[in-house]
Amino acid sequence: MSKQYTPTIGIEIHVQLATKSKMFCGCDNNSRSAKPNTNVCPVCLAFPGSLPVVNKGAVELAIRLGYGLNAKIADTTSFDRKNYFYPDSPKGYQITQMREPIIGEGHIEILVDNEFKKVGIHHAHLEEDAGKSTHPAGKDYSLVDFNRAGTPLVEIVSEPDMHSPVEAKRYLQEIYAIATTLGVSDGDMEHGNFKFDLNVSVSDTDELGTRTELKNLNSFRNAERSLKYEIARQIEVLESGEKIIQETRGWNDAKSQTVSQRSKEEANDYRYFPEPDIPPINLREEFINSVQDEIKQTVLPINVRRELLQLGLNADEQDILVGQVQTRTIFYDAKNSIANPKLEKKIVNWLVGDYQAWKSEHSESDSKLTGEHLADLIKLIEDGSISSKTAKEIFTDVIAGQKPNEIISQKGLTQMSDDSEIENIILAIIEKNPQAVADYKSGNEKAAGFFVGQVMAATKGQANPGKANALVLKLLQEQ
Amino acid sequence: MATLEYLSIKQAHDLLINKQVSAKELVQYYLDRIAKYDDKINACLFVRKKNALKQAEKVDAKIARGEEIGLLEGIPYTAKDMFLTAGVPTTAASKILRNFIPPHSATAINKLKSSGAILIAKVNQDEFAHGGSTENSAYKKTANPWNKNHVPGGSSGGSAAAVAADFGIFSLGTDTGGSIRQPASYCGVIGFKPTYGRVSRYGVVAMASSFDCIGPITRNAEDAEIVLHTIEGKDSMDSTTIESNSSDENTIENLTVGIAKEYDGDSMQTANDLLTSVGHTVKEIELPDSELALAAYYVLVPSEISSNLERYDGIRYGARAKATSLNETYTKTRDEFFGPEVKRRNMIGTYSLSAGYYDAYYEKAMQVRTLLCKQFNELFKMCDVIVTPTTLSPAFAFGAKTDPLQMYKEDILTVSSNLAGVPAISIPIGFDEATKLPLGLHIIGRQGEDTTVLALAKQIQANSDWHQRRPKL
């Protein structure tokens, strides 16, 4: 009989900050379209005599993030050097924060199986990213691009408060939502704006087991998958009577397994010491308040979840509205515009259904969908002016920025709701189809469907289908 | 043409505006002098001929048009090879930066350039400023102009020798533990280390970031003051710089001068008499433990050095050794192109920052540093300035100090002011009887009171003539 093991998970997340310039120099913080080694200067290339100057914008974004993490911002924050040799580390050390991180203890709430749960934040600190190394296959050289060197990052270190892969995934998604909602990060996961290391151990007692670290993941799905794998692996090792080795492991996506990379014995001695080129920074309370006042109007993601939970949305639906800042803005605008709680679920249905389908084939930046237009569209369906089918057909135009009212009047799509008009059409169809009338009369009720279909065809779909059905039944019985 | 030997900034300026000499002639005079004497002195690593003359022509054109020129316009100077100079080789006297030509200049060099001063040469030093004799240069040994068998001191030995030999009117040096003051003392000139942060370190090859200071080496205290006020000031490129008030003319009537009782040579008696004669009160004091300061210095400075030198990895610039793997690139490059003293300090620093050693070395040394700052604060409640000899003895002969520890002890009287970040100057106070070599007086001031130190130096010079003695080249 196998024992009951509890997994314990702690997470370190690297969030790239959405500043204009790099962490310690004036270079552009966006190198996506820049050729290698063109977005660089003496500071981020570590020329002799160059010195780092802290980017105030990065400090401000960290202070914002601190608000989202319910954390205390340090009165005094300072930097440290982490020394290691690697070609993409131009100075031979990374400037980071070890003794006095800018963001102190905090916590966030996550929603797992419709229950709210707290996860502690140990601290979060500012640091710089390294350049990017590539190792061309079959070549006897490697390449380094320093465009990314000096990009500002915040590393968020959680408490080991998570006990299942799904909790870990929920935590990651929540931090992601907080960072993007508060404008702290662009959250471009494909470009590595949000990367994380997962520390996991299992134990069948109150004492924590030996942990392994799964390094450098950048997808929520793989976070969950790698944790499931690693937890199972650790239990298997323990069950076979062996010990867990404290080590760093990577996730091999193709093989769907974690693989050993480096053991504790091989770990670097980073020789941390206070960064002498940057004096400690005193953060005055007024400054912290003025930065946080800018974002106090923003609804934090967890409160969005609270609302969506009441609307009966499941976790996946919540994720869409919580994870996509633009979609969420549309939701709130539409909600205010429609001012009818009963219709809020309908807004959600459009946004998690048709809108996501459109987004899967288009770029979000091409969308001009507004909450007001979406609300108008829903109102037009509700008052019977158009059918849902018509609404779906014109949705692309609404996304393109056109007003629903204008689209339907331009295209003549207003739903036919006038009884007498529809009756005349039905009567004409009855006259042309005596055999179908006979079928209906002989008890084949399905024949009524044929007439409804004919009505819709004759009106090019503009007849209100409910009304058409009722009138067809009424007129057939009169025959 | 007027005599151009050993001009002060003001004398040269007057000659220029009175059209007794052109800026071009002035530059040519120094270039000729370097050509004539530098094979004996070996102070210069790179002489900037064409561009220096071109720059001088512009100054002459200005004078010809009747425009006013600034005090430093057309004034030729040299700079220690630690200073990045756009388009001009900058090696820090190391093989690892052989052929390195920086794309931009240090803030101090830029400030001098915009005030019109003309850089005529980059001068020798100990490699990366590690040393006290300039014998650690990877390129050449600089001689003391007073006795060519003796060292000029270091690490700014090229600067001090160049000023003593009249290769330019002043020189820029760097001082991490005495590297401006000790060579100035050995070469019979003035060396001033300002308050930490008063002059931007941007574009100056870093030795130990929390100690490094930029300052002038000159032949009189007034010139040091002029250069200081030109290069000082807050710099947006250096977060450790401070705003300094240039107009803080301090009156120096009746200062209380602390003299350490443990140093009682002839030069200290001379200083004592001179200071008393001009109306200051001399008071015996007990200095902070200089053995302890030296020990802390030689833990903290190598620690910062080991980190600051990590960028010299052969990847982006500088020399790279032929190698077959990444690790070999690092080890071979740094083994081949760093000299022995640089490697030694790298090792010491790497150890003192390592896990298991940090608490016993780096952390302890930091505590000593904090304590020393407190002790200085206490002393400066009792006196306005402190004077000591700059060094325990005059310049030594080449090869006299082969034991690194002996060499480290050279800094015993100067490191404390770097640990505490306070301003200090070395000025000539006489000559050693046995060797006939210059001796220096070391004046230490309160943090930020750089002008008090300079004003006292000016006063001493007004009442003595040691700074006007010249070596026979």
Side-chain angles (χ1 to χ4, degrees):
Chain A
M1 178 66 203
S2 74
K3 303 165 205 158
Q4 195 65 41
Y5 288 95
T6 308
T8 298
I9 302 161
I11 300 182
E12 290 153 23
I13 308 177
H14 288 94
V15 183
Q16 183 177 319
L17 298 179
T19 51
K20 282 201 189 71
S21 52
K22 292 187 182 180
M23 186 68 218
F24 299 113
C25 64
C27 287
D28 197 330
N29 190 26
N30 181 357
S31 291
R32 259 165 239 170
S33 50
K35 288 195 178 128
N37 297 314
T38 55
N39 187 19
V40 290
C41 74
V43 175
C44 56
L45 281 180
F47 266 50
S50 65
L51 298 169
V53 175
V54 175
N55 179 346
K56 194 179 173 198
V59 172
E60 288 173 349
L61 290 184
I63 292 173
R64 274 196 196 187
L65 181 64
Y67 173 78
L69 301 179
N70 302 296
K72 162 121 182 67
I73 304 297
D75 303 325
T76 303
T77 185
S78 61
F79 290 84
D80 298 277
R81 289 188 186 176
K82 177 182 180 179
N83 298 284
Y84 67 98
F85 280 97
Y86 202 68
D88 59 24
S89 166
K91 295 187 291 295
Y93 54 84
Q94 179 196 35
I95 304 178
T96 178
Q97 299 193 293
M98 193 190 61
R99 295 158 304 126
E100 298 177 302
I102 184 160
I103 301 172
E105 225 174 279
H107 69 271
I108 66 162
E109 278 183 284
I110 61 173
L111 186 56
V112 184
D113 298 332
N114 295 340
E115 302 251 349
F116 289 91
K117 177 189 157 78
K118 251 187 203 183
V119 177
I121 303 293
H122 182 270
H123 78 272
H125 61 261
L126 280 164
E127 62 186 27
E128 57 176 339
D129 208 345
K132 196 175 153 192
S133 298
T134 44
H135 311 286
K139 304 286 189 201
D140 64 349
Y141 56 80
S142 294
L143 298 170
V144 195
D145 176 4
F146 292 102
N147 284 348
R148 199 181 64 189
T151 295
L153 304 174
V154 163
E155 179 174 335
I156 306 168
V157 181
S158 83
E159 296 289 355
D161 286 350
M162 290 150 281
H163 298 288
S164 70
V166 68
E167 283 185 10
K169 185 175 103 171
R170 287 280 154 215
Y171 168 79
L172 288 165
Q173 288 173 322
E174 203 58 39
I175 296 281
Y176 180 85
I178 291 167
T180 49
T181 302
L182 296 179
V184 169
S185 177
D186 294 337
D188 185 346
M189 295 184 76
E190 272 176 42
H191 286 95
N193 286 8
F194 195 86
K195 291 181 286 190
F196 34 87
D197 306 331
L198 311 165
N199 289 288
V200 57
S201 64
V202 301
S203 172
D204 60 348
T205 65
D206 287 343
E207 266 177 54
L208 289 178
T210 303
R211 69 191 157 90
T212 58
E213 185 175 27
L214 311 179
K215 260 199 132 55
N216 228 355
L217 285 107
N218 64 355
S219 101
F220 300 134
R221 181 169 164 266
N222 283 345
E224 194 175 10
R225 287 172 72 204
S226 61
L227 282 170
K228 275 185 188 158
Y229 178 91
E230 182 60 17
I231 289 165
R233 186 192 71 84
Q234 290 189 7
I235 292 174
E236 205 179 295
V237 169
L238 293 175
E239 284 291 288
S240 68
E242 301 198 22
K243 279 184 176 162
I244 304 292
I245 303 161
Q246 186 172 340
E247 63 182 351
T248 299
R249 298 176 72 85
W251 172 247
N252 184 321
D253 204 22
K255 290 186 183 164
S256 292
Q257 37 179 252
T258 64
V259 273
S260 178
Q261 289 179 330
R262 194 173 63 198
S263 77
K264 193 191 171 194
E265 284 68 33
E266 300 163 50
N268 276 320
D269 179 355
Y270 291 117
R271 292 174 282 120
Y272 283 95
F273 76 104
E275 166 57 279
D277 286 326
I278 305 172
I281 300 169
N282 292 312
L283 296 166
R284 279 173 297 114
E285 211 179 318
E286 309 91 80
F287 175 67
I288 295 169
N289 289 341
S290 73
V291 171
Q292 296 193 336
D293 281 347
E294 288 170 27
I295 45 151
K296 281 189 176 152
Q297 311 301 324
T298 315
V299 185
L300 284 173
I302 195 68
N303 295 328
V304 179
R305 284 194 194 274
R306 238 180 274 282
E307 230 172 299
L308 299 178
L309 187 64
Q310 281 172 1
L311 291 176
L313 266 65
N314 65 33
D316 290 338
E317 291 168 333
Q318 288 173 20
D319 287 347
I320 290 168
L321 289 190
V322 171
Q324 300 174 8
V325 176
Q326 186 222 32
T327 309
R328 188 165 74 237
T329 310
I330 297 169
F331 170 72
Y332 277 107
D333 290 348
K335 184 173 162 244
N336 290 335
S337 175
I338 221 161
N340 180 351
K342 283 181 194 157
L343 295 180
E344 283 171 8
K345 182 79 194 345
K346 293 216 168 8
I347 303 171
V348 170
N349 289 343
W350 276 98
L351 291 176
V352 303
D354 293 72
Y355 188 48
Q356 294 307 313
W358 180 88
K359 276 181 71 168
S360 68
E361 287 168 11
H362 300 82
S363 159
E364 186 182 85
S365 56
D366 292 335
S367 166
K368 296 196 174 68
L369 182 64
T370 68
E372 202 186 331
H373 290 174
L374 181 58
D376 289 348
L377 188 69
I378 292 166
K379 280 191 242 169
L380 287 170
I381 303 166
E382 286 310 304
D383 67 17
S385 303
I386 56 170
S387 66
S388 351
K389 186 165 166 277
T390 303
K392 279 181 192 295
E393 280 167 11
I394 67 164
F395 189 50
T396 311
D397 295 323
V398 180
I399 294 172
Q402 281 188 269
K403 285 188 176 170
N405 286 315
E406 285 171 8
I407 302 167
I408 60 172
S409 63
Q410 270 166 24
K411 295 195 175 173
L413 294 175
T414 314
Q415 192 162 259
M416 207 179 277
S417 297
D418 186 330
D419 283 10
S420 61
E421 211 175 319
I422 298 173
E423 274 181 17
N424 286 337
I425 293 166
I426 295 171
L427 287 172
I429 295 168
I430 286 174
E431 205 168 314
K432 280 186 202 155
N433 295 284
Q435 185 55 48
V437 177
D439 286 352
Y440 178 79
K441 292 263 174 196
S442 67
N444 183 357
E445 291 188 3
K446 280 183 189 164
F450 165 78
F451 286 98
V452 176
Q454 289 292 307
V455 173
M456 297 312 285
T459 61
K460 294 190 180 112
Q462 288 182 41
N464 181 325
K467 207 155 253 182
N469 195 43
L471 290 173
V472 162
L473 293 177
K474 180 187 136 206
L475 291 176
L476 280 175
Q477 269 153 21
E478 285 171 8
Q479 294 299 309
Chain B
M1 200 163 75
T3 174
L4 300 181
E5 278 186 20
Y6 293 99
L7 295 175
S8 71
I9 292 173
K10 277 208 171 126
Q11 285 167 343
H13 177 72
D14 288 344
L15 291 175
L16 286 173
I17 57 172
N18 295 327
K19 300 185 184 170
Q20 287 168 280
V21 69
S22 70
K24 205 173 164 186
E25 285 167 339
L26 194 60
V27 169
Q28 194 59 55
Y29 160 78
Y30 291 109
L31 294 178
D32 290 347
R33 210 173 153 86
I34 290 168
K36 190 170 171 191
Y37 294 114
D38 199 39
D39 57 343
K40 291 184 197 163
I41 306 295
N42 283 310
C44 301
L45 289 176
F46 182 87
V47 182
R48 192 171 166 258
K49 294 182 189 122
K50 232 170 81 187
N51 288 331
L53 288 167
K54 260 194 212 164
Q55 213 180 322
E57 280 169 13
K58 283 185 193 161
V59 178
D60 286 332
K62 235 175 135 177
I63 296 168
R65 287 196 302 269
E67 287 175 39
E68 226 176 87
I69 60 162
L71 201 48
L72 282 176
E73 246 172 308
I75 301 296
Y77 78 100
T78 62
K80 189 179 186 179
D81 214 25
M82 293 289 262
F83 290 83
L84 266 63
T85 41
V88 178
T90 300
T91 67
S94 179
K95 288 259 148 73
I96 213 160
L97 282 175
R98 190 175 53 195
N99 304 329
F100 177 67
I101 300 179
H104 63 290
S105 292
T107 299
I109 297 286
N110 279 333
K111 285 188 165 191
L112 285 171
K113 193 184 175 190
S114 39
S115 70
I118 300 174
L119 177 74
I120 53 166
K122 296 294 288 296
V123 292
N124 202 19
Q125 56 167 94
D126 287 298
E127 181 180 7
F128 283 107
H130 302 175
S133 67
T134 311
E135 290 169 293
N136 291 334
S137 166
Y139 297 105
K140 50 168 78 166
K141 284 192 173 34
T142 300
N144 189 317
W146 293 89
N147 180 339
K148 290 163 204 81
N149 295 320
H150 285 238
V151 301
S155 63
S156 310
S159 290
V163 171
D166 199 22
F167 299 164
I169 297 185
F170 68 92
S171 189
L172 280 189
T174 66
D175 189 315
T176 305
S179 281
I180 284 175
R181 292 159 286 157
Q182 183 254 26
S185 171
Y186 281 7
C187 292
V189 294
I190 305 275
F192 180 61
K193 177 206 100 71
T195 296
Y196 179 80
R198 187 154 181 141
V199 180
S200 170
R201 292 181 291 121
Y202 188 77
V204 182
V205 174
M207 179 172 158
S209 308
S210 72
F211 293 79
D212 293 349
C213 289
I214 311 309
I217 294 181
T218 60
R219 290 188 289 265
N220 65 69
E222 199 178 21
D223 285 358
E225 194 173 34
I226 294 166
V227 176
L228 174 72
H229 290 332
T230 307
I231 61 177
E232 71 188 353
K234 203 167 167 60
D235 180 9
S236 62
M237 300 301 278
D238 178 356
S239 313
T240 61
T241 48
I242 48 169
E243 207 65 70
S244 47
N245 185 4
S246 290
S247 64
D248 50 356
E249 274 310 323
N250 289 291
T251 52
I252 50 152
E253 276 169 41
N254 191 18
L255 296 180
T256 304
V257 180
I259 289 196
K261 49 188 164 194
E262 56 263 52
Y263 307 109
D264 55 357
D266 286 350
S267 65
M268 291 316 287
Q269 192 52 52
T270 310
N272 196 332
D273 297 346
L274 203 156
L275 289 164
T276 316
S277 73
V278 295
H280 300 306
T281 308
V282 173
K283 189 173 171 180
E284 272 206 350
I285 55 158
E286 202 169 320
L287 277 181
D289 187 339
S290 46
E291 293 274 344
L292 202 59
L294 192 67
Y297 176 89
Y298 274 101
V299 170
L300 295 176
V301 167
S303 297
E304 292 189 20
I305 285 173
S306 71
S307 180
N308 282 337
L309 290 181
E310 281 162 352
R311 65 188 59 197
Y312 304 101
D313 57 4
I315 304 288
R316 282 146 297 120
Y317 49 76
R320 181 197 294 180
K322 274 204 166 28
T324 52
S325 71
L326 176 63
N327 256 340
E328 208 182 271
T329 302
Y330 288 145
T331 51
K332 274 192 156 180
T333 298
R334 292 164 67 85
D335 186 37
E336 272 178 40
F337 302 112
F338 277 153
E341 182 58 26
V342 174
K343 286 180 200 166
R344 186 175 298 119
R345 295 194 189 199
N346 239 318
M347 294 290 284
I348 296 171
T350 302
Y351 272 107
S352 61
L353 288 176
S354 293
Y357 295 95
Y358 184 92
D359 293 348
Y361 292 94
Y362 185 86
E363 187 71 39
K364 261 287 178 279
M366 282 296 266
Q367 289 167 357
V368 172
R369 188 177 194 178
T370 307
L371 190 70
L372 190 87
C373 289
K374 270 191 197 157
Q375 289 173 338
F376 263 111
N377 285 339
E378 287 305 312
L379 278 177
F380 280 125
K381 283 179 189 163
M382 298 187 289
C383 48
D384 299 306
V385 293
I386 297 166
V387 301
T388 71
T390 309
T391 58
L392 293 174
S393 49
F396 50 90
F398 283 116
K401 300 199 176 182
T402 45
D403 174 7
L405 285 179
Q406 282 302 311
M407 193 68 94
Y408 294 170
K409 281 191 177 163
E410 271 297 294
D411 301 332
I412 192 143
L413 293 169
T414 46
V415 295
S416 295
S417 35
N418 296 81
L419 283 157
V422 295
I425 199 167
S426 176
I427 65 169
I429 193 71
F431 292 82
D432 179 55
E433 252 175 62
T435 60
K436 311 293 178 215
L437 287 168
L439 297 171
L441 179 70
H442 191 214
I443 309 171
I444 308 167
R446 292 192 188 98
Q447 202 155 48
E449 293 189 3
D450 303 52
T451 49
T452 306
V453 172
L454 285 164
L456 184 58
K458 279 196 284 185
Q459 192 183 37
I460 292 171
Q461 292 198 339
N463 292 281
S464 63
D465 69 349
W466 300 294
H467 64 291
Q468 285 163 354
R469 312 269 180 94
R470 307 300 174 207
K472 199 170 172 303
L473 294 187

Short mmCIF file of all heavy atoms in Angstrom, two decimals, chain B residues 1-8 11-12 15 26 29-30 33 36-37 163 165-166 168-169 219 470-471 473:
data_model
loop_
_atom_site.label_atom_id
_atom_site.label_comp_id
_atom_site.label_asym_id
_atom_site.label_seq_id
_atom_site.Cartn_x
_atom_site.Cartn_y
_atom_site.Cartn_z
N MET B 1 60.40 84.59 -28.21
CA MET B 1 59.35 83.86 -27.48
C MET B 1 59.72 83.77 -25.99
O MET B 1 60.87 83.58 -25.64
CB MET B 1 59.20 82.46 -28.07
CG MET B 1 57.89 81.83 -27.74
SD MET B 1 57.53 80.42 -28.81
CE MET B 1 58.62 79.17 -28.17
N ALA B 2 58.71 83.94 -25.20
CA ALA B 2 58.91 83.87 -23.74
C ALA B 2 59.34 82.47 -23.34
O ALA B 2 59.13 81.51 -24.08
CB ALA B 2 57.60 84.23 -23.05
N THR B 3 59.94 82.35 -22.18
CA THR B 3 60.30 81.01 -21.72
C THR B 3 59.04 80.24 -21.35
O THR B 3 58.11 80.78 -20.72
CB THR B 3 61.27 81.08 -20.52
OG1 THR B 3 61.46 79.75 -20.04
CG2 THR B 3 60.72 81.92 -19.38
N LEU B 4 58.99 79.01 -21.77
CA LEU B 4 57.78 78.23 -21.58
C LEU B 4 57.95 77.15 -20.51
O LEU B 4 57.03 76.41 -20.22
CB LEU B 4 57.36 77.59 -22.90
CG LEU B 4 57.07 78.57 -24.05
CD1 LEU B 4 56.64 77.82 -25.30
CD2 LEU B 4 55.99 79.57 -23.65
N GLU B 5 59.15 77.09 -19.91
CA GLU B 5 59.38 76.01 -18.97
C GLU B 5 58.54 76.16 -17.70
O GLU B 5 58.47 77.23 -17.12
CB GLU B 5 60.86 75.97 -18.58
CG GLU B 5 61.67 75.24 -19.63
CD GLU B 5 63.12 75.05 -19.23
OE1 GLU B 5 63.42 75.14 -18.03
OE2 GLU B 5 63.93 74.83 -20.13
N TYR B 6 57.92 75.04 -17.31
CA TYR B 6 57.21 74.95 -16.03
C TYR B 6 56.19 76.06 -15.80
O TYR B 6 56.15 76.68 -14.74
CB TYR B 6 58.22 74.86 -14.88
CG TYR B 6 58.99 73.57 -14.91
CD1 TYR B 6 60.28 73.51 -15.45
CD2 TYR B 6 58.40 72.39 -14.45
CE1 TYR B 6 60.97 72.31 -15.51
CE2 TYR B 6 59.10 71.20 -14.50
CZ TYR B 6 60.38 71.16 -15.03
OH TYR B 6 61.04 69.97 -15.09
N LEU B 7 55.36 76.28 -16.80
CA LEU B 7 54.32 77.30 -16.66
C LEU B 7 53.19 76.79 -15.77
O LEU B 7 52.87 75.60 -15.75
CB LEU B 7 53.73 77.63 -18.04
CG LEU B 7 54.67 78.27 -19.07
CD1 LEU B 7 53.93 78.40 -20.40
CD2 LEU B 7 55.14 79.64 -18.57
N SER B 8 52.55 77.73 -15.08
CA SER B 8 51.30 77.40 -14.41
C SER B 8 50.17 77.69 -15.42
O SER B 8 50.41 78.28 -16.47
CB SER B 8 51.12 78.27 -13.17
OG SER B 8 50.85 79.61 -13.56
N GLN B 11 49.88 81.46 -15.92
CA GLN B 11 51.00 82.01 -16.70
C GLN B 11 50.82 81.70 -18.19
O GLN B 11 50.98 82.58 -19.04
CB GLN B 11 52.33 81.41 -16.21
CG GLN B 11 52.78 81.99 -14.88
CD GLN B 11 53.92 81.16 -14.26
OE1 GLN B 11 54.17 80.02 -14.64
NE2 GLN B 11 54.61 81.76 -13.30
N ALA B 12 50.45 80.44 -18.48
CA ALA B 12 50.27 80.06 -19.89
C ALA B 12 49.12 80.85 -20.50
O ALA B 12 49.21 81.34 -21.64
CB ALA B 12 50.00 78.56 -19.98
N LEU B 15 50.19 84.36 -21.33
CA LEU B 15 51.04 84.38 -22.53
C LEU B 15 50.18 84.27 -23.79
O LEU B 15 50.45 84.93 -24.81
CB LEU B 15 52.06 83.23 -22.50
CG LEU B 15 53.17 83.34 -21.45
CD1 LEU B 15 54.02 82.06 -21.46
CD2 LEU B 15 54.06 84.56 -21.70
N LEU B 26 52.69 76.51 -28.03
CA LEU B 26 52.67 75.92 -26.69
C LEU B 26 52.60 74.39 -26.78
O LEU B 26 53.36 73.67 -26.12
CB LEU B 26 51.48 76.49 -25.90
CG LEU B 26 51.47 76.26 -24.40
CD1 LEU B 26 52.68 76.87 -23.73
CD2 LEU B 26 50.18 76.85 -23.78
N TYR B 29 55.81 73.04 -28.03
CA TYR B 29 56.85 73.05 -26.98
C TYR B 29 56.81 71.74 -26.18
O TYR B 29 57.83 71.09 -25.95
CB TYR B 29 56.65 74.25 -26.04
CG TYR B 29 57.34 74.09 -24.70
CD1 TYR B 29 58.73 74.28 -24.58
CD2 TYR B 29 56.63 73.71 -23.57
CE1 TYR B 29 59.37 74.10 -23.36
CE2 TYR B 29 57.25 73.51 -22.35
CZ TYR B 29 58.62 73.71 -22.24
OH TYR B 29 59.26 73.53 -21.04
N TYR B 30 55.58 71.32 -25.79
CA TYR B 30 55.48 70.09 -24.99
C TYR B 30 55.78 68.85 -25.83
O TYR B 30 56.41 67.90 -25.35
CB TYR B 30 54.10 69.99 -24.33
CG TYR B 30 53.92 71.04 -23.26
CD1 TYR B 30 53.07 72.12 -23.44
CD2 TYR B 30 54.66 70.97 -22.07
CE1 TYR B 30 52.94 73.10 -22.47
CE2 TYR B 30 54.54 71.95 -21.10
CZ TYR B 30 53.68 73.02 -21.30
OH TYR B 30 53.57 73.98 -20.35
N ARG B 33 59.41 68.64 -26.06
CA ARG B 33 59.99 68.24 -24.78
C ARG B 33 59.83 66.75 -24.53
O ARG B 33 60.75 66.08 -24.07
CB ARG B 33 59.31 69.05 -23.66
CG ARG B 33 60.23 69.28 -22.49
CD ARG B 33 59.64 70.21 -21.48
NE ARG B 33 60.22 69.88 -20.18
CZ ARG B 33 61.37 70.37 -19.71
NH1 ARG B 33 62.06 71.23 -20.43
NH2 ARG B 33 61.83 70.01 -18.54
N LYS B 36 62.22 64.98 -26.70
CA LYS B 36 63.59 65.12 -26.25
C LYS B 36 63.89 64.29 -24.99
O LYS B 36 64.96 63.69 -24.88
CB LYS B 36 63.86 66.60 -25.96
CG LYS B 36 65.33 66.93 -25.71
CD LYS B 36 65.52 68.44 -25.69
CE LYS B 36 66.91 68.80 -25.22
NZ LYS B 36 67.02 70.24 -24.94
N TYR B 37 62.95 64.26 -24.06
CA TYR B 37 63.26 63.66 -22.75
C TYR B 37 62.54 62.35 -22.43
O TYR B 37 62.90 61.66 -21.49
CB TYR B 37 62.95 64.67 -21.62
CG TYR B 37 63.83 65.88 -21.63
CD1 TYR B 37 63.31 67.14 -21.90
CD2 TYR B 37 65.20 65.76 -21.35
CE1 TYR B 37 64.11 68.28 -21.90
CE2 TYR B 37 66.01 66.89 -21.36
CZ TYR B 37 65.47 68.13 -21.62
OH TYR B 37 66.27 69.23 -21.62
N VAL B 163 54.27 65.57 -15.06
CA VAL B 163 54.12 66.93 -14.53
C VAL B 163 55.48 67.43 -14.00
O VAL B 163 55.87 68.58 -14.25
CB VAL B 163 53.04 66.97 -13.42
CG1 VAL B 163 53.03 68.32 -12.71
CG2 VAL B 163 51.66 66.68 -14.02
N ALA B 165 58.35 66.51 -15.10
CA ALA B 165 59.27 66.69 -16.23
C ALA B 165 58.77 67.76 -17.19
O ALA B 165 59.38 67.99 -18.23
CB ALA B 165 59.44 65.36 -16.95
N ASP B 166 57.63 68.37 -16.85
CA ASP B 166 57.03 69.41 -17.71
C ASP B 166 56.62 68.87 -19.08
O ASP B 166 56.83 69.51 -20.11
CB ASP B 166 57.99 70.60 -17.87
CG ASP B 166 57.24 71.86 -18.33
OD1 ASP B 166 56.00 71.93 -18.12
OD2 ASP B 166 57.87 72.76 -18.90
N GLY B 168 53.57 68.87 -20.32
CA GLY B 168 52.20 69.32 -20.13
C GLY B 168 52.09 70.07 -18.82
O GLY B 168 52.96 69.95 -17.94
N ILE B 169 51.01 70.88 -18.70
CA ILE B 169 50.90 71.74 -17.51
C ILE B 169 50.30 70.99 -16.32
O ILE B 169 50.66 71.23 -15.18
CB ILE B 169 50.11 73.02 -17.85
CG1 ILE B 169 50.92 73.81 -18.90
CG2 ILE B 169 49.83 73.87 -16.61
CD1 ILE B 169 50.36 75.15 -19.28
N ARG B 219 51.59 71.38 -10.65
CA ARG B 219 52.82 71.88 -10.02
C ARG B 219 52.53 72.95 -8.97
O ARG B 219 53.42 73.41 -8.27
CB ARG B 219 53.76 72.43 -11.10
CG ARG B 219 54.34 71.31 -11.97
CD ARG B 219 55.41 71.81 -12.90
NE ARG B 219 54.89 72.63 -13.96
CZ ARG B 219 54.58 72.19 -15.18
NH1 ARG B 219 54.77 70.91 -15.48
NH2 ARG B 219 54.09 73.00 -16.08
N ARG B 470 63.11 72.27 -9.49
CA ARG B 470 62.90 71.43 -10.67
C ARG B 470 63.98 70.36 -10.77
O ARG B 470 65.16 70.62 -10.50
CB ARG B 470 62.96 72.29 -11.95
CG ARG B 470 62.04 73.49 -11.95
CD ARG B 470 60.58 73.08 -11.80
NE ARG B 470 59.73 74.26 -11.68
CZ ARG B 470 58.55 74.25 -11.05
NH1 ARG B 470 58.10 73.16 -10.46
NH2 ARG B 470 57.82 75.34 -11.00
N PRO B 471 63.62 69.17 -11.22
CA PRO B 471 64.63 68.12 -11.42
C PRO B 471 65.47 68.42 -12.66
O PRO B 471 65.01 69.11 -13.58
CB PRO B 471 63.79 66.86 -11.64
CG PRO B 471 62.51 67.37 -12.19
CD PRO B 471 62.28 68.74 -11.60
N LEU B 473 66.71 66.99 -15.91
CA LEU B 473 66.32 65.80 -16.70
C LEU B 473 67.50 65.15 -17.40
O LEU B 473 68.24 65.72 -18.10
CB LEU B 473 65.23 66.18 -17.72
CG LEU B 473 63.90 66.60 -17.10
CD1 LEU B 473 62.85 66.77 -18.19
CD2 LEU B 473 63.40 65.58 -16.08
#
